[in-house]
């Protein structure tokens, strides 16, 4: 109780920033972040107890998630009238320096933090207008990060689709991968409300049924044939793939990529564009190497692949209480 009281006496602006940072996306919705409040800064640490050692053995996607959280925190800071400066400390944690700005400048993307979601549904098939894609292409990027857009119907779009299916084949025949995946599945409302993390049944459009029934049904869906069948529908209904790469595959660049990714996701949300991850090709090293060759992007490290399109809103993934992610400063 004393710890919670201690947290609640902290700067309310900083708590507001952390609350919004915790709405960032993360692999399997693990929410792998911890925050430490200091006098004029907030430090963001990886929470390795939420790691995914099979699918993300080098913590690359974990640090991308931290980058997304950093971006949300910076957007929320501007909403409260702060200037931010982001530093990556010894490839270990992120320090956000905060200075009160006399000229408060609200960020137009702030309202989208609460609205953004990973929408895993089959989309409507409508094509995103080129002027909307141009807006996304003009979003500022961090050093050593590249973004590539691939339109449905193009040769490279089909190449990427094939690599998604190859990634599925490898992952769905890997028992360790499937065990890790099912560990983070939340099978019904009671289960999701208890943990407030993981892959909720509702975000996949599944009904709220007793857990033993849900586990049986889901076990039948976790295989190569079923996954590829579902992904074919999702890819055919999407408008674009967007591939995010880094130059050197470093922690600092993963964090920078996460910041750019979140900007794209928030801006897409503002335009009514849905998004979801199809990151399988980046997670399998042999497929990723082939991707670099076939897409003719030498010296790039494919890191995140998403699809964009138009779709009906889905239920939101739950979040743990943000106060539980705050560490007490020494």
């Amino acid at each position: 109780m004393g710890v919670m009281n201690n947290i609640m006496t902290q700067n309310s602006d900083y708590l507001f920033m952390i609350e919004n940072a915790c709405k960032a996306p993360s692999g399997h919705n693990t929410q792998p972040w911890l925050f430490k409040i200091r006098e004029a800064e907030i430090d963001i640490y990886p929470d390795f107890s939420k790691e995914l050692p099979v699918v993300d053995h080098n913590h690359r996607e974990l640090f991308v998630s931290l980058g997304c959280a950093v971006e949300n925190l910076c957007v929320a800071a501007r909403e409260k009238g702060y200037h931010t400066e982001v530093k990556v400390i010894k490839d270990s944690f992120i320090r956000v320096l905060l200075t009160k700005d006399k000229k408060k400048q609200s960020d137009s993307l702030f309202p989208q933090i609460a609205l953004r979601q990973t929408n895993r549904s089959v989309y409507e098939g409508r094509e995103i207008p080129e002027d909307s894609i141009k807006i996304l292409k003009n979003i500022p990027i961090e050093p050593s990060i590249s973004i590539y857009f691939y339109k449905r119907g193009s040769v490279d779009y089909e190449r990427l689709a094939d690599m998604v299916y190859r990634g599925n084949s490898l992952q769905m025949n890997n028992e360790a991968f499937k065990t890790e995946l099912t560990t983070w599945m939340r099978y019904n409302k009671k289960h999701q409300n208890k943990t407030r993390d993981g892959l909720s049944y509702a975000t996949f459009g599944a009904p709220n049924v007793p857990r033993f029934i849900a586990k049986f049904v889901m076990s039948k869906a976790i295989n190569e044939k079923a996954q590829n069948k579902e992904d074919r529908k999702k890819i055919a209904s999407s408008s674009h793939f967007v591939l995010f790469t880094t130059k050197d595959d470093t922690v600092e660049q993963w964090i920078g990529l996460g910041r750019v990714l979140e900007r794209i996701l928030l801006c897409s949300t503002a335009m009514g564009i849905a998004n979801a991850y199809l990151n399988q090709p980046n997670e399998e090293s042999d497929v990723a190497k082939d991707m670099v060759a076939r897409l003719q992007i030498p010296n790039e490290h494919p890191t995140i692949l998403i699809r964009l399109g138009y779709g009906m809103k889905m239920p939101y993934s739950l979040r743990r209480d943000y106060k539980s992610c705050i560490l007490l400063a020494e």
Side-chain angles (χ1 to χ4, degrees):
M1 194 65 183
V3 171
M4 191 58 69
N5 287 337
N6 236 337
I7 290 171
M8 294 315 295
T9 60
Q10 299 280 3
N11 184 317
S12 61
D13 286 352
Y14 290 9
L15 294 177
F16 174 84
M17 296 173 203
I18 292 171
E19 182 178 13
N20 281 281
C22 288
K23 295 174 182 175
S26 57
H28 293 0
N29 189 30
T30 58
Q31 304 165 48
W33 38 64
L34 295 166
F35 303 85
K36 189 173 284 187
I37 296 174
R38 302 187 186 276
E39 185 175 347
E41 63 202 39
I42 297 174
D43 292 341
I44 305 176
Y45 295 85
D47 182 355
F48 291 120
S49 72
K50 306 295 190 296
E51 68 177 347
L52 299 169
V54 178
V55 77
D56 186 31
H57 63 92
N58 59 357
H59 298 129
R60 183 170 70 179
E61 292 181 18
L62 187 152
F63 278 103
V64 169
S65 297
L66 263 59
C68 293
V70 167
E71 188 62 20
N72 275 5
L73 192 146
C74 291
V75 171
R78 287 192 288 275
E79 187 69 15
K80 288 293 185 179
Y82 289 81
H83 171 75
T84 60
E85 182 182 354
V86 176
K87 295 183 177 181
V88 178
I89 311 297
K90 298 179 181 178
D91 283 349
S92 178
F93 68 96
I94 306 146
R95 175 159 288 163
V96 182
L97 304 173
L98 297 157
T99 309
K100 198 69 176 175
D101 195 338
K102 293 179 181 178
K103 296 180 181 178
K104 181 182 176 182
Q105 294 182 333
S106 293
D107 194 307
S108 62
L109 292 180
F110 173 73
Q112 309 309 320
I113 291 177
L115 298 177
R116 183 212 60 79
Q117 66 172 190
T118 302
N119 188 328
R120 299 178 178 87
S121 68
V122 175
Y123 297 160
E124 298 170 5
R126 284 190 289 137
E127 188 177 297
I128 299 171
E130 194 53 44
D131 58 348
S132 295
I133 295 297
K134 187 176 181 181
I135 291 171
L136 297 178
K137 286 181 176 179
N138 287 334
I139 286 176
I141 61 173
E142 299 294 307
S144 302
I145 309 302
S146 296
I147 313 176
Y148 301 92
F149 289 76
Y150 302 98
K151 186 177 178 180
R152 187 182 69 221
S154 67
V155 171
D156 284 339
Y157 188 92
E158 295 307 319
R159 284 175 174 152
L160 277 167
D162 287 340
M163 286 180 246
V164 170
Y165 309 141
R166 283 176 56 194
N168 282 338
S169 298
L170 291 168
Q171 292 182 343
M172 288 299 167
N173 287 289
N174 180 343
E175 289 304 318
F177 170 85
K178 291 196 288 185
T179 298
E180 181 174 87
L181 176 64
T182 54
T183 298
W184 285 96
M185 299 202 74
R186 307 299 180 239
Y187 291 102
N188 57 22
K189 188 173 183 179
K190 183 179 179 181
H191 192 195
Q192 77 162 16
N193 289 350
K194 180 180 180 181
T195 64
R196 301 191 69 82
D197 63 9
L199 299 165
S200 169
Y201 74 101
T203 64
F204 291 97
N208 181 32
V209 297
R211 187 163 167 176
F212 75 94
I213 296 176
K215 287 188 77 169
F216 175 77
V217 172
M218 290 304 294
S219 69
K220 297 298 182 184
I222 301 175
N223 62 72
E224 176 185 348
K225 183 178 179 181
Q227 187 67 47
N228 277 336
K229 181 180 178 181
E230 191 63 23
D231 281 347
R232 286 182 200 282
K233 291 189 289 185
K234 292 177 178 180
I235 290 170
S237 73
S238 301
S239 175
H240 286 71
F241 278 128
V242 187
L243 178 65
F244 297 77
T245 70
T246 66
K247 182 181 178 184
D248 304 303
D249 212 25
T250 63
V251 168
E252 187 164 4
Q253 289 174 14
W254 299 340
I255 293 166
L257 186 151
R259 296 192 66 188
V260 176
L261 170 64
E262 188 69 352
R263 287 172 203 158
I264 293 279
L265 299 181
L266 294 178
C267 189
S268 298
T269 302
M271 293 190 287
I273 297 170
N275 71 86
Y277 297 88
L278 283 172
N279 220 32
Q280 301 91 313
N282 304 318
E283 294 163 348
E284 298 295 329
S285 58
D286 288 344
V287 183
K289 289 175 186 175
D290 193 27
M291 186 191 309
V292 168
R294 295 182 69 190
L295 297 179
Q296 298 183 333
I297 48 172
N299 307 315
E300 300 280 342
H301 294 271
T303 304
I304 297 292
L305 178 66
I306 63 174
R307 62 185 176 99
L308 300 178
Y310 295 103
M312 296 288 290
K313 281 281 187 182
M314 296 291 286
Y316 281 80
S317 298
L318 300 186
R319 293 291 189 275
R320 293 188 292 272
D321 185 341
Y322 72 93
K323 295 184 288 293
S324 70
C325 301
I326 300 177
L327 302 169
L328 292 181
E330 297 86 358

